Amino acid sequence: MDWIKMNYSRFLNVTSLGRKPSPIRVLTEIVLNSPKTLISMAGGMPNPDFFPIQDISLTLKDGSKLNIDTSLVTRAMQYSSSSGFPELINWVKDLQERVHKPPTLGITDENKKLDIIITNGSQDGICKTLEACVSAGDNVLIEVPTYAGTLAILNPLQPKILEIESDKDGIIPGSLLRYLSKWKPEDSKKPNCSIPRILYCVPNGGNPTGSQLTWERKKEIYKLCQDYDILIMEDDPYFYLQFSKPYVPSFLSMDEDGRVMRFDSFSKIISSGMRIGCLSGPRALVNKIIQHQQVSAVHSSGLSQVVLFSVLQEMGHDGFLQHCDKVADFYKRQRDACLAMANKHLSGLAEWFEPSGGMFLWLKFPQIKDTFKLISEKARAKEVLFVPGNAFMVDSSLPCQYLRSSFSLVSSEDMDKAFERLSALIKEELNQ
């Protein structure tokens, strides 16, 4: 709601607060949005007459041909807006409105109004946001276990990571409250208070757990973040890979304050090699990510953006959502096959719960003290690979009884062989 005041400078570190719009990128935006009668001798745009690519034609999986408009190809070859290809941004914004109905989309508060930047995959947006918000010594709230890529971003920033417990239903609100109860809600107004300012979570198809944060828990968590003025980083690349419908509503869908930074990805449903994701959040914070983009990657690949936009435009929003359903159905069948093989070979040796989405099965081996050497050395010698669980823990040096198994690429026959080899390995280890 417009009347809820947000002090966005509270969430930004010194580096981010010091960022200003790049004057060269500002000129580029002026040129891109000016009439053709404008004569510009200001920018450093190369002459497109010497770009060798003129036309692009795609063959889709259904055999149809998609010829990308020549004018789009011409624009894709040149420098573009740091926030992203305008048509792609609009397409994504329409999708967010249809799927999530963000309360901040149509508000009058310019700082809180929903804005979008196209990023080099969702991880690029996560990285830039953490680098904008976290300073050494800051308390940061993270659900555990968590995505290893986020830990790799965070660790060099040297925060104090507060580990929030989770289970098959995602973050446990009581665990979050136990940390926050060390402070009073009004402490968030004190400039030098150590109260956390960031909560990071993967709410659907959790990587590595396959868990799904329930609607009831989301409401509790959002209320706690309101009380203590915390920014929610909703890393949700598996949103469209939920195995049951309707979709569990997102944090973005309940964000009346403008305190959610949502990270979506096209990697899991269209192409991982395109490296296209998007960040949706309050304009005051998204602008800071755009300013970072201006001095780092400049903008996401124009060619990838135009190809993606052309494919999405061809699909339409209905076609895109139908495609997502097909992808989710495939991964659900893969999950079921994985569970069947786990039951066949690992019963009595391992513990697990049924993944609600995504592409991972999280296995615990209660009789094994630490899976690291077992998986990284001995399993490889038996020609089977998994990820040791310590990769997803804040302190990866501690013993960990878990491993992550991915069912995205493997046939049921190969899953059978993989778990058979793993079972033999575990039994050998226990009989030593």
Side-chain angles (χ1 to χ4, degrees):
M1 296 180 184
D2 288 17
W3 57 266
I4 298 175
K5 288 295 182 183
M6 294 286 292
N7 175 21
Y8 288 111
S9 63
R10 155 177 158 72
F11 302 110
L12 298 168
N13 58 26
V14 173
T15 300
S16 187
L17 289 170
R19 292 194 190 280
K20 304 297 180 186
S22 164
I24 299 299
R25 297 305 298 158
V26 169
L27 283 173
T28 300
E29 296 282 351
I30 292 173
V31 171
L32 292 172
N33 292 293
S34 294
K36 292 183 179 181
T37 52
L38 175 76
I39 300 173
S40 173
M41 298 185 69
M45 290 185 175
N47 194 309
D49 289 346
F50 296 95
F51 296 163
I53 298 175
Q54 179 171 318
D55 297 301
I56 297 176
S57 177
L58 305 175
T59 302
L60 304 183
K61 286 285 181 70
D62 64 3
S64 63
K65 298 287 185 179
L66 178 59
N67 296 313
I68 299 179
D69 187 272
T70 303
S71 65
L72 295 183
V73 176
T74 300
R75 290 168 56 197
M77 294 296 102
Q78 187 57 276
Y79 286 125
S80 184
S81 169
S82 290
S83 59
F85 191 67
E87 287 89 338
L88 179 58
I89 290 176
N90 289 335
W91 198 97
V92 170
K93 188 171 288 188
D94 289 343
L95 179 69
Q96 302 296 58
E97 181 176 15
R98 174 171 177 165
V99 175
H100 303 285
K101 298 179 176 58
T104 56
L105 191 60
I107 64 174
T108 58
D109 187 326
E110 287 298 313
N111 285 326
K112 291 166 60 174
K113 181 174 287 188
L114 185 80
D115 211 346
I116 290 174
I117 174 175
I118 303 300
T119 55
N120 296 302
S122 61
Q123 183 151 329
D124 178 42
I126 294 165
C127 183
K128 285 181 168 63
T129 300
L130 289 172
E131 289 182 350
C133 297
V134 177
S135 300
D138 284 355
N139 286 314
V140 178
L141 299 158
I142 300 284
E143 69 168 316
V144 289
T146 197
Y147 174 47
T150 297
L151 293 175
I153 298 167
L154 266 177
N155 287 331
L157 301 177
Q158 301 181 322
K160 182 179 179 182
I161 297 177
L162 307 182
E163 302 180 34
I164 310 303
E165 297 174 12
S166 64
D167 58 21
K168 67 180 181 64
D169 294 322
I171 288 175
I172 300 172
S175 178
L176 176 60
L177 181 58
R178 279 193 293 275
Y179 272 111
L180 293 178
S181 61
K182 299 174 184 177
W183 295 275
K184 298 176 182 178
E186 56 267 27
D187 289 341
S188 64
K189 308 301 180 186
K190 300 175 183 177
N192 298 318
C193 184
S194 62
I195 190 169
R197 294 175 287 116
I198 298 287
L199 169 65
Y200 170 85
C201 65
V202 184
N204 290 294
N207 184 355
T209 63
S211 64
Q212 184 176 64
L213 187 55
T214 65
W215 174 237
E216 291 303 319
R217 286 191 179 185
K218 282 183 178 178
K219 289 188 288 186
E220 289 185 64
I221 291 166
Y222 189 84
K223 182 61 169 62
L224 285 171
C225 290
Q226 282 185 309
D227 292 343
Y228 289 88
D229 197 14
I230 294 169
L231 186 71
I232 299 173
M233 291 182 62
E234 184 176 31
D235 180 11
D236 211 358
Y238 305 100
F239 176 84
Y240 293 103
L241 299 187
Q242 297 179 52
F243 295 151
S244 61
K245 294 288 186 70
Y247 295 136
V248 176
S250 63
F251 279 117
L252 187 69
S253 73
M254 66 175 76
D255 185 27
E256 61 184 10
D257 297 353
R259 66 173 65 255
V260 173
M261 296 285 269
R262 178 178 172 82
F263 307 89
D264 285 287
S265 174
F266 289 98
S267 293
K268 310 301 186 292
I269 45 182
I270 298 292
S271 165
S272 51
M274 280 189 182
R275 303 310 307 133
I276 297 294
C278 61
L279 164 55
S280 308
R283 180 166 293 170
L285 297 181
V286 172
N287 278 343
K288 286 298 179 182
I289 307 305
I290 293 173
Q291 288 171 11
H292 190 171
Q293 182 85 307
Q294 289 175 348
V295 298
S296 56
V298 180
H299 58 74
S300 298
S301 165
L303 185 56
S304 287
Q305 290 188 75
V306 164
V307 169
L308 176 61
F309 168 69
S310 299
V311 172
L312 293 175
Q313 187 180 43
E314 180 76 7
M315 286 182 168
H317 290 99
D318 287 338
F320 171 76
L321 293 173
Q322 290 166 9
H323 173 73
C324 290
D325 288 344
K326 292 178 183 178
V327 178
D329 287 344
F330 167 77
Y331 284 118
K332 184 178 181 180
R333 294 194 299 272
Q334 289 290 98
R335 177 206 63 181
D336 292 344
C338 188
L339 290 172
M341 295 306 113
N343 276 306
K344 178 179 178 181
H345 296 292
L346 300 176
S347 293
L349 298 175
E351 298 173 357
W352 60 88
F353 59 78
E354 183 177 288
S356 299
M359 52 185 66
F360 306 113
L361 180 65
W362 185 235
L363 295 162
K364 180 181 181 180
F365 295 87
Q367 302 172 79
I368 302 295
K369 184 179 179 181
D370 186 20
T371 62
F372 179 74
K373 187 173 182 180
L374 184 74
I375 299 305
S376 59
E377 296 179 15
K378 296 182 180 180
R380 185 176 179 183
K382 287 189 177 291
E383 298 187 318
V384 63
L385 286 179
F386 301 93
V387 182
N390 68 327
F392 308 97
M393 302 300 179
V394 172
D395 188 346
S396 61
S397 67
L398 295 177
C400 180
Q401 296 180 302
Y402 291 85
L403 66 80
R404 191 194 75 178
S405 173
S406 173
F407 48 78
S408 60
L409 289 174
V410 189
S411 67
S412 58
E413 293 79 11
D414 281 344
M415 288 183 205
D416 191 7
K417 294 176 184 177
F419 283 140
E420 183 178 29
R421 293 172 187 176
L422 178 61
S423 174
L425 183 61
I426 297 297
K427 290 173 182 176
E428 287 176 13
E429 192 76 6
L430 295 176
N431 289 331
Q432 288 181 357

